[in-house]
Amino acid sequence: MSYSGKVKEELGNQVSRARHCQIAELAALFCCCGQLVPEGEGKFSAKFVTENLTAARKYSILIKKAFQFQVEMSVKGHQYLLYILDTEEARTFCQALKCTEGKRLVSELVVQRSCCKRAFIRGLFLACGSVTDPERGYHLEMALNSRGKADEVVLLLEAFGIEAKIVERKKNYIVYVKEGSRIVDLLNVMEAHVALMEFENVRILKEMRNSINRKVNCETANIKKTVSASARQIADIQYIKDTSGFGTLPKGLADIANLRLEYAEVSLKELGEMLNPPIGKSGVNHRLRKLSELAEDLRNRGNGAV
């Protein structure tokens, strides 16, 4: 099962005890997948269609919990169709959900409480949401059929301090969250605590691996830099030794030249500590730079003689 499927399965098994929260979650499911179907002579039914069995099952459970209505269910291809066929029951259902006939996402009366906002977001994700496996990346989204509804979702998420963005894709408006920490916050809002822990474990391991890789890359770069610098220094010192020798060098330069040839692999700090008296890293670097300048001068004079 995909990670997104696991999240939905966890949410599908979670049923709020409070009727107002049950109605809020039903409102989210119905606004995404439901419609009122005229039956003639003033009669109508409430129809719910989804390809997600978890969403269909949750919808049926919530109706029985909140209204004690019987739901007729059928399967057509990959779709699950659920009906409230009795007109009076359908009317009671719509009045409770404050159905807005497609104009708005949800009535403010349905999501007045913070717990009802959580339930509504949970139902919304069940109906039209998905989340990427955190091993592959961080992306959670919900698809709405109008910009106005997408804007309402953004405002609902902002009530919990979660910043989301909107992008148009084909005929839908996608509300999405890409940062790992915000997805964790949203999973917490929906009360998908098991999925949240799995997401956090993966995120922590990825951050640790990335941190270690950054340190290793940095250390490797420093080692390469040190080895390259040491090789240039030794080449310059060896050229001075072969050309004019160390006899004409000041004692400080001669001492550091001999040490560098003898200890090619040690750091500048270690070279400085070997001197008597010891000197710091900047002092060693200064002397080696002087030797490099002297070697360059000797090379130039040699080239001029040719």
Side-chain angles (χ1 to χ4, degrees):
M1 182 183 292
S2 68
Y3 178 74
S4 192
K6 291 179 183 177
V7 175
K8 290 191 176 186
E9 184 175 21
E10 182 179 356
L11 297 179
N13 292 328
Q14 182 177 326
V15 180
S16 301
R17 292 183 180 180
R19 185 172 183 270
H20 49 78
C21 289
Q22 294 167 5
I23 288 172
E25 191 165 352
L26 276 169
L29 289 163
F30 193 75
C31 80
C32 290
C33 305
Q35 64 181 106
L36 300 178
V37 181
E39 303 290 351
E41 298 180 357
K43 295 183 178 181
F44 63 92
S45 62
K47 178 182 177 182
F48 180 85
V49 183
T50 180
E51 294 185 0
N52 188 312
L53 178 59
T54 302
R57 186 175 65 244
K58 183 69 175 289
Y59 180 79
S60 177
I61 290 170
L62 288 172
I63 287 177
K64 289 175 183 177
K65 288 277 185 182
F67 298 97
Q68 291 78 51
F69 294 163
Q70 290 299 315
V71 178
E72 299 293 328
M73 181 174 177
S74 63
V75 180
K76 186 177 181 181
H78 298 292
Q79 292 184 327
Y80 301 92
L81 295 85
L82 293 87
Y83 296 90
I84 300 174
L85 294 174
D86 184 86
T87 297
E88 288 307 311
E89 290 183 352
R91 182 175 286 110
T92 299
F93 175 77
C94 290
Q95 288 171 348
L97 270 57
K98 305 290 187 294
C99 289
T100 57
E101 300 180 353
K103 295 177 182 179
R104 290 198 57 199
L105 181 73
V106 62
S107 166
E108 292 179 1
L109 296 174
V110 175
V111 289
Q112 288 184 88
R113 300 177 175 91
S114 178
C115 58
C116 292
K117 286 184 175 70
R118 290 176 182 272
F120 187 86
I121 293 168
R122 181 164 58 244
L124 207 60
F125 182 82
L126 268 174
C128 64
S130 65
V131 58
T132 303
D133 188 323
E135 287 282 8
R136 291 169 43 214
Y138 302 144
H139 184 88
L140 184 149
E141 66 176 43
M142 289 178 273
L144 288 305
N145 61 10
S146 77
R147 177 69 194 220
K149 291 179 181 180
D151 288 335
E152 286 186 63
V153 175
V154 170
L155 290 175
L156 276 172
L157 297 181
E158 282 181 1
F160 295 97
I162 299 170
E163 183 182 344
K165 295 181 179 180
I166 300 172
V167 64
E168 188 174 357
R169 186 190 300 158
K170 295 181 180 178
K171 295 183 179 180
N172 288 322
Y173 293 85
I174 311 300
V175 177
Y176 69 93
V177 178
K178 292 192 74 71
E179 289 186 17
S181 60
R182 289 176 181 168
I183 293 175
V184 167
D185 290 342
L186 184 46
L187 291 172
N188 187 50
V189 165
M190 296 188 294
E191 299 177 294
H193 300 304
V194 175
L196 185 155
M197 290 303 298
E198 182 180 344
F199 191 100
E200 275 289 62
N201 288 338
V202 172
R203 191 164 74 103
I204 290 168
L205 286 173
K206 284 177 73 175
E207 288 179 358
M208 286 178 62
R209 285 198 297 265
N210 290 338
S211 177
I212 290 169
N213 287 338
R214 282 194 297 270
K215 289 180 180 178
V216 169
N217 291 339
C218 183
E219 289 174 3
T220 300
N222 287 337
I223 289 170
K224 288 181 178 178
K225 185 178 178 181
T226 300
V227 170
S228 177
S230 177
R232 288 197 305 272
Q233 292 159 6
I234 290 170
D236 289 339
I237 292 168
Q238 190 65 53
Y239 185 79
I240 293 170
K241 184 177 181 181
D242 294 341
T243 305
S244 61
F246 297 160
T248 59
L249 293 176
K251 184 177 185 304
L253 293 183
D255 289 345
I256 203 69
N258 282 311
L259 282 174
R260 176 45 94 197
L261 288 179
E262 187 175 354
Y263 301 101
E265 74 286 352
V266 302
S267 67
L268 299 186
K269 181 181 178 183
E270 291 172 308
L271 279 178
E273 291 170 352
M274 293 177 185
L275 292 169
N276 188 18
I279 63 173
K281 180 180 175 181
S282 60
V284 173
N285 191 49
H286 176 73
R287 293 186 186 185
L288 289 171
R289 192 162 57 247
K290 284 286 187 182
L291 289 168
S292 293
E293 290 171 359
L294 179 57
E296 187 64 22
D297 185 55
L298 287 171
R299 289 189 184 98
N300 290 337
R301 280 190 283 170
N303 289 336
V306 174

